[in-house]
Amino acid sequence: MSIGTNLRHDSALTHVAGESIFIDDRPEVRGEVHVGVVGSPIARGKLKSIDAREALSHPDCLGVYTASDFHAKRWGTITHDQPFLVVDEISYMQEAVCLVACARRDSLETVKKLVRIETIETEGVFSIDEARAKGEVLYRAASPFVQGDVDAVLQAAPHRLKGVFICGGQEHFYLESQAAIAYPLENGQIEVHSSSQHPSETQRVVAEALGIPFHQVVCVVKRMGGGFGGKESQGAPIAAYAALVADRLKRPARIVLTKDQDMMITGKRHPFQNEYEVGFDPEGRLLAVKALLQSDGGAYLDLSSSILERAMFHLDGAYFLPNVRIEGVCFRTHHHPHTAFRGFGGPQGNMTIESILEDVAHFLKKDASEVRRINLYSGNNLRTPYGQVLENNLLPEIHERILESSRYRERLQEIIAFNSKRQGRVRGISLTATKFGISFTARFLNQANALVNLQLDGTLQVSTGATEMGQGVNTKIQQIVAHAFGVIPDAVRMMPTSTEKNHNTSPTAASSGSDLNGAAALLACNRIKNRLIKLAKAKFEGFVFDPTTEFDPGPDHDAAPDASFVFEDAQVRDSRSGASVPLKELIQTAYQNRIPLGSYAHYKTPGLGFDKTRVTGRAFNYFTQGMAVSEVELDEYTGEMKVRRVDILMDLGRSLNPGIDRGQTTGAFIQGMGWVSSEHLVYDKKRNLLTHSPTTYKIPNVQDTPREFHVDFIENPNNDRNVHGSKAVGEPPFLLGTSVWTAIKHALSFRADGQEIRLTSPATSEVILMELSRPKGV
């Protein structure tokens, strides 16, 4: 049985041996050139001129390219509003102005410095407050999410709080920077190898940039060295830069950004500044919540509209809000265009409600876990602010189980006793939850296709639109296919993702890669199995196979295969009669009878459809649920924070691969913890990014991980909305990193003397120390 086992990642051995091939590991070919990007020296203004004469005189320089060299001047995932290269208006620091092509990579930086760019600088907008004051709106949500009479209930509520929740951006910090190689082929074709989560969009953007039909471009993605959403959209123009040079010079062209260049050029997680008002009763039960979510989208739209909407979808978190109004607006600033990042707006929405609940508990002097418990979705209180009813709800069970397994109540009393001694250290503990909606909220993206080829020796080659960025999607699909045919996983080879085999693919994002592509692969397997079952049945019933008699299985159908025929241990067995045949023998018979042994299948998630204007319909296929308890300790003299212990309990349905799911859970949590505690983006006055390298940008290292780290999964056999009853895991645990931030907030409450805690995110040591040092009454 392949399903539910800890099969190792399909690239684990080659990763460890250093044999995995990433973009820049591809050997250079004869005539290959290297491409560099020259960025703007100002954040906003006019481009007056580009003087490339000195650069072109360099012996290694083969060309300098500007916006005029592109057929289409702009690109975009939702709206074509972003220039490939600056045309006249400059909108953010290091915006791509021109490209240089060199015969040698080590000449790129020298040649780039020889390009003279003349600009006229104007005043930029760099904060949400500034953008709002100037009416710089990128996108406003079509309709608010409204339930009940919010204003009336707020006025009548026994207690009210209002405030502003602020959370910063985050750098993706994937190990492999943005990279692509373009190979010019005969008849004007281009083959692009890209580090991209979205091969079909890369194909489209390259074709539009060059002014050629889509069928002239093939995009291939073997794997990425990490993505986290940063390569969902923003890898496409990088590929277009390489393709343009390859097309103009008729030579292969490679572009590989350095880590510093990548961090300065590309967008981040969206900063949010959310205004809220909440009414609640003396027990801490939320009666009404009014929230305005405000994001910094940067200079161009990118995916900001969808990210804002997902933040709105996740403002409720795991909690029932009987009366609620949620609005959203994304502002234009002169920062790099912000983009997708693990959670896709969900963390910024979810963290807001968790912060509110922590404040409510602090105001009422109650245990925050009890305040959360009475607000959880439970009983008949299952309707979300956008009208979808929460099905298969395990939140109350998860809450009780994790309180017990983490010894939360006992440890809370220990923390209270510890903090009373005033030893220069203060501890806090907090529980937060995730209820993450799984599906793209744009219905058309919830589709996938797969090609499964069964070879004559019983092995299989599988092609899907999923892209492997380290998350194990290929391994999970490998297990699904191996299980379908009853063969060992090593008999299944996952092929590189390519737009010539899998067309119009959706990005590997929204935690849906395994769901969509795994389901498509299973459909393709079932079509082949149905043919083989008909053949086996005929064989067991005595059908005579000879050169004059050919067996015809009839037309394909998508019905589930006859369960009485078991594919196991490379055999096909009729469980009723006991008759069996080796799979390889049955394959040979099928081939000799001209029965196809390959199949293509298309899958679309059923039952989805959400109208964001009327706020009706089903936005998500299901919800992945979980909770975390985090304990922290703060140094009152330095503000240093240490995570003492973390306990996580997740509902992942029936896991396809518990080992991979455990890795995704721990990795997502640590990344989320970094976002809320140490990953601070710092810009100078001109908006140069100062934290653009591993030496200046603080992601969690091994010393920052919890001293005790417990991860467990709850049994949930009732999920029937996804392939083999599994649930997605890529993004949901990221939201649990919030528990570290709320634990910091809880620790600070012991030193607040009853006054409001003003904690922003990330809660760096400096932020913590400033809050600890804030004079009372200020």
Side-chain angles (χ1 to χ4, degrees):
M1 294 290 288
S2 297
I3 298 299
T5 61
N6 288 329
L7 181 67
R8 69 170 181 246
H9 191 288
D10 72 325
S11 298
L13 294 181
T14 54
H15 282 356
V16 172
E19 296 173 356
S20 295
I21 304 299
F22 297 92
I23 295 297
D24 208 25
D25 293 316
R26 295 180 64 84
E28 286 194 31
V29 298
R30 189 173 65 180
E32 186 172 303
V33 301
H34 297 273
V35 181
V37 180
V38 179
S40 165
I42 62 172
R44 187 188 188 188
K46 292 277 189 180
L47 175 63
K48 284 188 66 178
S49 65
I50 301 172
D51 185 349
R53 288 173 296 180
E54 192 176 353
L56 289 168
S57 69
H58 191 284
D60 282 342
C61 183
L62 302 174
V64 176
Y65 304 93
T66 66
S68 63
D69 290 291
F70 283 89
H71 176 80
K73 305 306 180 192
R74 297 177 183 271
W75 71 280
T77 300
I78 298 172
T79 300
H80 284 46
D81 65 338
Q82 182 167 354
F84 283 101
L85 297 173
V86 170
V87 178
D88 49 19
E89 295 280 346
I90 295 169
S91 296
Y92 62 96
M93 182 64 72
Q94 292 298 322
E95 183 172 8
V97 174
C98 63
L99 308 174
V100 300
C102 290
R104 297 189 306 147
R105 182 182 296 190
D106 57 12
S107 297
L108 279 175
E109 292 307 310
T110 299
V111 172
K112 283 166 58 177
K113 292 174 183 176
L114 297 177
V115 178
R116 307 301 178 199
I117 298 173
E118 188 177 358
T119 63
I120 301 174
E121 188 171 8
T122 55
E123 186 179 356
V125 175
F126 302 117
S127 72
I128 289 172
D129 287 337
E130 284 183 86
R132 181 170 57 184
K134 295 183 178 182
E136 292 284 354
V137 174
L138 263 177
Y139 176 79
R140 190 180 299 275
S143 297
F145 296 169
V146 180
Q147 300 280 353
D149 191 341
V150 179
D151 290 327
V153 176
L154 277 174
Q155 289 297 321
H159 302 293
R160 280 191 289 169
L161 291 174
K162 63 189 304 183
V164 179
F165 169 75
I166 297 173
C167 59
Q170 185 180 22
E171 163 62 34
H172 298 86
F173 217 90
Y174 28 69
L175 291 180
E176 180 192 28
S177 295
Q178 299 280 3
I181 304 176
Y183 299 97
L185 307 177
E186 60 186 29
N187 298 319
Q189 299 173 71
I190 293 281
E191 180 177 290
V192 177
H193 291 253
S194 175
S195 186
S196 169
Q197 294 173 235
H198 199 346
S200 289
E201 180 170 46
T202 300
Q203 175 195 25
R204 173 183 64 80
V205 170
V206 166
E208 291 174 348
L210 301 183
I212 59 178
F214 290 10
H215 78 302
Q216 292 286 89
V217 181
V218 172
C219 179
V220 181
V221 179
K222 170 65 176 174
R223 62 167 62 85
M224 288 163 276
F228 307 119
K231 297 175 180 176
E232 180 175 344
S233 62
Q234 298 199 356
I238 302 297
Y241 296 161
L244 175 78
V245 174
D247 181 64
R248 292 294 184 271
L249 296 178
K250 305 304 178 188
R251 295 167 65 170
R254 180 184 305 240
I255 182 169
V256 180
L257 300 185
T258 67
K259 178 55 67 180
D260 299 77
Q261 292 167 342
D262 191 302
M263 292 179 72
M264 288 187 284
I265 290 172
T266 59
K268 319 299 177 194
R269 181 184 296 281
H270 288 69
F272 270 66
Q273 183 173 304
N274 300 334
E275 299 176 0
Y276 63 86
E277 186 172 3
V278 56
F280 51 98
D281 67 17
E283 298 302 311
R285 185 173 287 104
L286 300 183
L287 304 175
V289 174
K290 182 190 289 187
L292 172 62
L293 276 59
Q294 303 171 112
S295 67
D296 176 347
Y300 303 105
L301 185 63
D302 199 273
L303 292 160
S304 294
S305 54
S306 297
I307 289 162
L308 176 69
E309 288 162 356
R310 188 168 279 259
M312 294 170 64
F313 278 116
H314 287 80
L315 187 280
D316 61 323
Y319 311 103
F320 175 66
L321 307 178
N323 300 281
V324 61
R325 181 181 182 89
I326 303 169
E327 298 177 86
V329 59
C330 175
F331 292 101
R332 183 194 309 276
T333 65
H334 295 100
H335 289 131
H336 20 225
H338 295 307
T339 191
F341 201 134
R342 198 174 197 166
F344 205 75
Q348 294 96 316
N350 184 83
M351 194 173 175
T352 305
I353 195 68
E354 295 290 3
S355 178
I356 289 171
L357 289 166
E358 202 70 31
D359 287 342
V360 167
H362 177 58
F363 178 87
L364 295 172
K365 297 180 173 56
K366 288 184 173 291
D367 174 15
S369 76
E370 286 304 303
V371 172
R372 287 180 167 89
R373 180 187 62 79
I374 65 173
N375 284 291
L376 283 175
Y377 281 105
S378 61
N380 294 321
N381 294 332
L382 298 174
R383 186 179 178 86
T384 65
Y386 43 93
Q388 183 169 339
V389 174
L390 175 60
E391 301 166 347
N392 193 18
N393 177 33
L394 296 183
L395 289 168
E397 180 182 349
I398 294 172
H399 184 269
E400 191 53 43
R401 283 183 56 171
I402 198 168
L403 287 183
E404 182 178 347
S405 63
S406 68
R407 295 182 55 252
Y408 174 91
R409 297 181 180 91
E410 298 93 319
R411 287 165 57 203
L412 176 59
Q413 296 307 310
E414 293 168 4
I415 285 170
I416 293 171
F418 177 89
N419 290 343
S420 67
K421 297 177 183 178
R422 295 272 180 173
Q423 305 171 81
R425 294 175 292 158
V426 60
R427 293 175 181 172
I429 190 170
S430 184
L431 176 152
T432 64
T434 183
K435 174 190 63 67
F436 196 84
I438 304 299
S439 291
F440 291 98
T441 51
R443 183 175 64 176
F444 72 91
L445 291 175
N446 295 288
Q447 60 177 308
N449 55 75
L451 175 64
V452 176
N453 291 325
L454 181 56
Q455 305 295 335
L456 293 180
D457 64 352
T459 61
L460 297 112
Q461 292 176 325
V462 182
S463 303
T464 76
T467 56
E468 178 63 60
M469 63 193 93
Q471 83 279 35
V473 64
N474 280 347
T475 304
K476 288 187 173 182
I477 297 173
Q478 178 188 27
Q479 288 178 269
I480 290 169
V481 173
H483 178 264
F485 286 101
V487 299
I488 61 173
D490 282 349
V492 180
R493 174 63 61 202
M494 299 300 301
M495 308 306 292
T497 308
S498 174
T499 56
E500 66 179 334
K501 290 180 290 186
N502 297 99
H503 63 284
N504 302 331
T505 58
S506 295
T508 303
S511 301
S512 63
S514 297
D515 288 18
L516 294 172
N517 294 280
L522 184 58
L523 281 176
C525 292
N526 286 344
R527 287 182 174 179
I528 300 170
K529 288 176 67 176
N530 279 329
R531 299 172 202 147
L532 293 178
I533 286 170
K534 291 177 183 178
L535 184 64
K537 185 177 181 182
K539 191 178 187 73
F540 297 155
E541 291 176 351
F543 184 88
V544 178
F545 297 90
D546 60 47
T548 64
T549 309
E550 185 175 69
F551 180 78
D552 181 3
D556 278 342
H557 60 85
D558 289 331
D562 186 343
S564 60
F565 284 82
V566 179
F567 287 68
E568 193 174 52
D569 298 329
Q571 299 275 326
V572 180
R573 174 172 51 85
D574 184 346
S575 60
R576 296 163 301 186
S577 66
S580 67
V581 59
L583 177 61
K584 191 181 296 187
E585 179 182 322
L586 192 62
I587 292 169
Q588 291 289 340
T589 304
Y591 175 66
Q592 290 163 6
N593 281 267
R594 298 188 292 182
I595 297 172
L597 292 167
S599 187
Y600 162 89
H602 178 267
Y603 173 80
K604 58 182 180 181
T605 309
L608 293 179
F610 184 80
D611 186 327
K612 61 185 180 183
T613 301
R614 295 186 297 151
V615 193
T616 58
R618 186 183 187 94
F620 301 112
N621 189 30
Y622 62 87
F623 297 90
T624 294
Q625 304 164 80
M627 294 186 186
V629 172
S630 292
E631 180 182 340
V632 303
E633 181 175 287
L634 313 181
D635 186 312
E636 295 188 70
Y637 301 111
T638 66
E640 182 183 21
M641 185 274 295
K642 293 293 183 185
V643 183
R644 288 171 49 79
R645 175 173 169 174
V646 171
D647 295 78
I648 295 175
L649 183 61
M650 294 289 297
D651 161 30
L652 299 180
R654 286 168 282 189
S655 175
L656 295 173
N657 187 314
I660 284 178
D661 287 349
R662 183 174 296 271
Q664 285 291 290
T665 300
T666 55
F669 179 88
I670 295 298
Q671 192 175 42
M673 180 188 83
W675 173 52
V676 303
S677 65
S678 68
E679 297 186 38
H680 187 202
L681 295 163
V682 180
Y683 300 84
D684 67 13
K685 290 183 179 180
K686 291 180 67 66
R687 307 317 283 180
N688 288 293
L689 180 66
L690 300 179
T691 49
H692 57 74
S693 73
T695 59
T696 53
Y697 184 76
K698 180 66 175 72
I699 65 170
N701 63 28
V702 68
Q703 295 178 342
D704 298 311
T705 56
R707 286 0 184 212
E708 284 189 61
F709 204 174
H710 307 278
V711 177
D712 201 3
F713 304 137
I714 195 169
E715 290 292 324
N716 180 6
N718 299 317
N719 178 46
D720 60 359
R721 299 199 62 87
N722 195 35
V723 58
H724 288 301
S726 63
K727 283 192 173 187
V729 67
E731 292 171 294
F734 183 97
L735 281 64
L736 297 178
T738 296
S739 60
V740 171
W741 188 84
T742 52
I744 294 171
K745 205 167 190 179
H746 180 242
L748 291 171
S749 72
F750 288 95
R751 301 294 185 258
D753 292 337
Q755 71 177 359
E756 175 191 3
I757 302 163
R758 299 175 187 170
L759 190 65
T760 56
S761 178
T764 61
S765 296
E766 295 86 351
V767 169
I768 292 169
L769 189 58
M770 290 297 289
E771 183 62 21
L772 284 167
S773 306
R774 181 161 59 94
K776 306 311 174 196
V778 175

